[in-house]
Amino acid sequence: MNRDTELELIDELLALKADKTHFLDETVTRNPVTHYVSDDRFAEERDRIFRKTPMIAAHTSELANAGDFLRRDVAGLPVLLTRDKSGTVNAFVNAWRHRGTRLVDDEAGCKHRFSCPYHAWTYANTGELIAAPHFDNGFEGLEKSELSLKRLTCQERHGFIWVTAEDDGAVDLDTHLKDIGGDLAALDLENMVVAHQDAPVHKANWKILVEGGIEAYHFKVAHQSTIGPHFEDNLSSYRMFGPHMRSILMRTSMARLEPDTREDWRLRDHAQVLYTLFPNTALLVQSDHIAWINQEALSAGETRVRMSTLVPKEEAGNTEHWQRNHEITRVTLDEDFVIGESIQSTLTSGANEDMIFGRFEGALDAFNRVVDARL
Ligand code: FES
Ligand SMILES: [Fe+2]
């Protein structure tokens, strides 16, 4: 975001506060509750969105050195990420080509080859089958070269490793990032590292968890004992960048900015800047670090929330400070996720046919319109 945009965003929120109003969409909107509970709907989202969109699977710092590997779920597929000795990152389906055993059970580690505990077929971290006992006698007509691991499209960009599960009909990464790339570049994510990460599973649809982050209507209520007092009541704005969104949530300190210090105004210090990267990633830009949240949808009613604190490389040693920040983010997000689970638990009760989004909750409608358009 350039300097003019930064000041415009601050001015916009200050004007809304001065006018005692909110950032309002045209109308109240609705979203059917079936979109959050239906298995068919979930299968469609998985097949048409998650599998056809470049998804952030990891941060590059999690796979920093040759030989490093990571196990992740991407779009419902078990995925093995490796960095080979040429420095290239590879993504494979984490399944042996013989009888399907999982190639890797450890979450992460460093290995240049993987040997199966079942019949000892051995793969290089570049995906080739390099050894298989008694192969020539037992697998006549097959070539080892045909039995490489199933490779997925994988690219490093803006400090993240992006995996596309199915290329056929998929959005390519350049197109995906066309409108938001400038903002992502400015965050300097390549020069950050993961200081902390946890990944609990919550019993809520992934969209409910995304929606929980993109409105400020709940801040003063749901976060009253944590971050609520630091934010203005129900004051946020949002813009779409293709399928992605940038939301700005106003801190109380913004209203105390003096006009004669305008040159030094820094949005990050007086607002929470939140990027919602379609479909399932949130980047919460704090004044000295970024909370990166991936909503890994497991089923219609279950989501693994992988939350990482990304910090500048050169300040990674400040471990206590980052630990404290990670815990603050975790406690605050848990307040949202408990509510998300509560919402999910009532959706099949018949109490409501639709979710209702107020005019200052327009971001929720905008997000759901993108989801709908991709199905
Ligand atoms: S399933 Fe792994 S070698 Fe047979
Ligand atoms: Fe919240």
Side-chain angles (χ1 to χ4, degrees), residues 81-102:
L81 298 169
T82 68
R83 191 178 295 277
D84 63 42
K85 62 178 188 297
S86 75
T88 305
V89 175
N90 308 279
F92 306 107
V93 177
N94 184 14
W96 244 275
R97 296 297 304 279
H98 177 212
R99 276 164 52 198
T101 317
R102 257 200 316 270

Side-chain angles (χ1 to χ4, degrees), residues 244-263:
H244 315 290
M245 181 186 293
R246 183 182 66 206
S247 317
I248 314 291
L249 300 105
M250 180 177 173
R251 289 181 185 275
T252 50
S253 64
M254 191 187 288
R256 295 192 292 272
L257 285 169
E258 298 289 346
D260 57 343
T261 61
R262 187 173 172 86
E263 281 188 6

